[in-house]
């Protein structure tokens, strides 16, 4: 009897009507350039909770490094149940400060639960929205572009889609949430203890909401 490899491939859609995809097994359903060019980093599995973690070594905004804490092993949890990425309080404040400094956008009043909101009036594709890179163990960079950074909260207002976890996050410095994973192909290989991820599929004029990734 053939035994499937303990591997999970996930593609979360950014649009509510999009179906996305979930595949369990050894052979990837994606046979195109996307799945052949995934970046990888070691996957850490918590044997007590069953949670999935990776090591984020640093965060960069437009090339500038945001300081992290002690960088514990498995300091970043992968959690699709979290709507947005949550950061330890001190890291969150440093990230928001650097993002606001680099963003060439008009800041407006905050809209809860977010603490960095901007006017989107006249914001086109050329707007100067800085990218955020999660530099993972092994040196690969998980690049987060504007589509996975800015949340539209009301007419003409967008907010940076990260949340402040305060001081209650003792052992985990960040929880990478669903919004930041939308339109990225991610693979969790439990046997090889490897986490793989693509760049934003929107850069390739496709998305997780389409019937197939081309």
């Amino acid at each position: 009897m053939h035994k499937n490899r303990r591997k999970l491939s996930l593609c979360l859609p950014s649009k509510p009507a999009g179906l996305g995809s979930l595949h369990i097994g050894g052979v990837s359903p994606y046979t195109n350039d996307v799945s052949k060019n995934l970046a990888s980093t070691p996957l850490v599995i918590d044997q007590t909770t069953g949670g999935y973690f990776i090591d984020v070594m640093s965060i960069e905004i437009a090339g500038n490094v945001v300081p992290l804490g002690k960088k514990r092993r498995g300091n970043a949890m992968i959690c699709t149940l979290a709507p947005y990425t949550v950061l330890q309080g001190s890291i969150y404040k440093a990230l928001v400060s650097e993002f606001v400094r680099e963003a060439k956008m008009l800041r407006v009043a905050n809209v809860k639960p977010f603490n960095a909101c901007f006017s989107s009036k006249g914001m086109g594709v050329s707007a100067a929205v800085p990218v955020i890179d999660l530099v993972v163990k092994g040196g690969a960079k998980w690049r987060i572009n504007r589509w996975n950074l800015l949340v539209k909260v009301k007419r003409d207002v967008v907010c940076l889609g990260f949340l402040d976890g305060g001081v209650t996050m003792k052992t985990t410095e960040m929880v990478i949430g669903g919004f930041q994973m939308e339109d990225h192909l991610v693979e969790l290989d439990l046997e090889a203890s490897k986490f793989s991820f693509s760049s934003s599929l929107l850069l390739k004029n496709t998305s997780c909401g389409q019937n197939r990734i081309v």
Side-chain angles (χ1 to χ4, degrees):
M1 182 178 178
H2 177 70
K3 182 180 178 181
N4 282 332
R5 184 182 178 91
R6 294 192 303 146
K7 183 177 178 180
L8 181 150
S9 300
L10 176 67
C11 208
L12 294 177
S14 55
K15 296 181 179 179
L19 295 177
S21 65
L22 171 65
H23 178 79
I24 299 174
V27 180
S28 173
Y30 312 108
T31 57
N32 46 63
D33 290 341
V34 173
S35 62
K36 294 177 181 178
N37 292 281
L38 300 181
S40 299
T41 190
L43 176 67
V44 180
I45 304 174
D46 188 313
Q47 299 301 326
T48 302
T49 65
Y52 301 126
F53 298 81
I54 60 174
D55 293 316
V56 174
M57 310 308 290
S58 64
I59 300 175
E60 296 179 358
I61 300 180
N64 298 318
V65 177
V66 175
L68 297 182
K70 297 180 180 179
K71 293 190 277 295
R72 300 176 179 88
R73 181 173 183 266
N75 64 341
M77 183 181 187
I78 305 296
C79 183
T80 58
L81 296 179
Y84 305 101
T85 292
V86 184
L87 301 173
Q88 219 174 56
S90 60
I91 300 173
Y92 176 81
K93 290 179 176 61
L95 179 137
V96 169
S97 177
E98 186 64 29
F99 186 87
V100 169
R101 190 176 72 85
E102 290 291 338
K104 304 300 187 291
M105 298 180 290
L106 176 65
R107 196 167 182 184
V108 298
N110 294 336
V111 178
K112 292 184 177 180
F114 305 109
N115 290 320
C117 297
F118 308 88
S119 170
S120 60
K121 286 183 179 180
M123 182 183 290
V125 295
S126 60
V129 180
V131 298
I132 294 180
D133 289 316
L134 304 182
V135 184
V136 297
K137 186 174 183 178
K141 293 184 178 183
W142 187 345
R143 172 152 292 188
I144 306 174
N145 293 282
R146 58 183 296 168
W147 310 289
N148 301 96
L149 290 177
L150 299 178
V151 182
K152 183 176 181 180
V153 293
K154 58 183 179 179
R155 184 176 179 181
D156 297 329
V157 176
V158 293
C159 298
L160 179 63
F162 289 73
L163 300 179
D164 186 353
V167 297
T168 60
M169 299 175 70
K170 299 296 184 182
T171 59
T172 303
E173 292 181 324
M174 66 188 75
V175 176
I176 301 174
F179 183 70
Q180 276 66 45
M181 284 188 268
E182 288 177 357
D183 291 319
H184 289 75
L185 173 62
V186 299
E187 292 186 347
L188 294 89
D189 191 329
L190 306 186
E191 292 188 14
S193 296
K194 183 173 68 172
F195 178 81
S196 303
F197 54 92
S198 73
S199 57
S200 174
L201 300 181
L202 299 179
L203 296 172
K204 301 179 182 297
N205 296 316
T206 187
S207 71
C208 290
Q210 296 186 10
N211 292 331
R212 61 187 299 269
I213 301 174
V214 294

